[in-house]
């Protein structure tokens, strides 16, 4: 067992890696007070849609992301999903996003947002192998031998 910086103990000594990193995303859409993130699960590399409240700065301590994996997209579709199940999930999403879940208009708004972006989720490309973009290149010269080494400086995309 291994203890992580946050105190989480993992079996087998594996290093903790968050499943979702919103800095790495395919697209972000603003829908009123909701942000729709199209991204990938960083552990499985599978596409997901994540809903978060729209804020100037998202505080990881306060946000409970509402996650729809590609494998569960069918459950939200009108043609294949169970309306009762969709409504239960939409009510929970409302509570997590800071909307009144007892106002029937709010869960319906969430359902509409998810269904409007379902095609975007289905069209998301495979997870890129390298999430960093090159922002500079350095040439390091060994003063003793004169040999040069080229190094790329990368920034998180």
């Amino acid at each position: 067992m291994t203890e992580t910086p946050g105190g989480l103990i993992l079996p087998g000594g594996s290093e903790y890696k968050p499943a979702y990193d919103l800095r790495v995303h395919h697209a972000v859409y603003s829908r009123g007070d909701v942000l729709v993130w199209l991204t990938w699960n960083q552990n499985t590399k599978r596409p997901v849609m994540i809903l978060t409240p729209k804020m100037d700065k998202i505080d990881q301590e306060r946000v409970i992301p509402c996650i729809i994996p590609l494998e569960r997209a069918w459950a939200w579709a009108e043609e294949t999903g169970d309306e009762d199940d969709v409504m239960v999930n939409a009510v929970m999403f409302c509570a997590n996003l800071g909307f009144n879940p007892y106002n029937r208009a709010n869960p319906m708004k969430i359902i509409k947002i998810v269904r409007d972006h379902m095609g975007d989720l289905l069209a998301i490309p495979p997870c890129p192998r390298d999430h960093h973009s090159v922002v500079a290149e350095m040439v390091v010269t060994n003063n003793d031998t004169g040999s040069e080494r080229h190094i790329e400086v990368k920034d998180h995309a």
Side-chain angles (χ1 to χ4, degrees):
M1 298 287 238
T2 304
E3 188 170 337
T4 64
L8 181 63
I9 298 176
L10 301 173
S14 61
E15 184 177 327
Y16 174 75
K17 180 179 179 185
Y20 306 102
D21 184 350
L22 296 181
R23 295 173 299 176
V24 179
H25 58 270
H26 171 66
V28 180
Y29 300 97
S30 178
R31 296 289 303 265
D33 293 333
V34 177
L35 289 177
V36 180
W37 303 80
L38 298 177
T39 187
W40 302 269
N41 179 314
Q42 297 302 305
N43 296 325
T44 65
K45 307 299 183 204
R46 300 290 298 150
V48 295
M49 179 188 305
I50 299 178
L51 304 173
T52 63
K54 187 176 181 180
M55 297 186 244
D56 291 336
K57 182 178 179 183
I58 294 179
D59 180 5
Q60 66 182 0
E61 299 297 323
R62 293 186 2 199
V63 172
I64 300 172
C66 302
I67 300 167
I68 302 169
L70 179 63
E71 292 76 16
R72 291 283 302 155
W74 64 269
W76 288 82
E78 277 185 88
E79 303 80 18
T80 57
D82 176 2
E83 288 298 319
D84 292 335
D85 184 52
V86 168
M87 185 58 73
V88 167
N89 282 295
V91 166
M92 288 189 288
F93 280 17
C94 282
N96 291 342
L97 294 170
F99 301 121
N100 178 358
Y102 300 107
N103 178 347
R104 183 150 172 89
N106 289 333
M108 296 307 291
K109 174 183 170 182
I110 297 301
I111 292 169
K112 179 166 177 31
I113 289 171
V114 169
R115 287 180 174 165
D116 286 351
H117 290 283
M118 197 57 62
D120 299 322
L121 175 62
L122 297 174
I124 193 170
C127 184
R129 288 185 183 185
D130 188 4
H131 303 301
H132 300 85
S133 58
V134 177
V135 294
E137 184 176 323
M138 294 187 327
V139 178
V140 179
T141 305
N142 183 328
N143 292 334
D144 295 332
T145 65
S147 65
E148 292 184 345
R149 193 168 53 132
H150 294 266
I151 300 173
E152 291 180 340
V153 179
K154 296 182 179 185
D155 187 19
H156 213 285

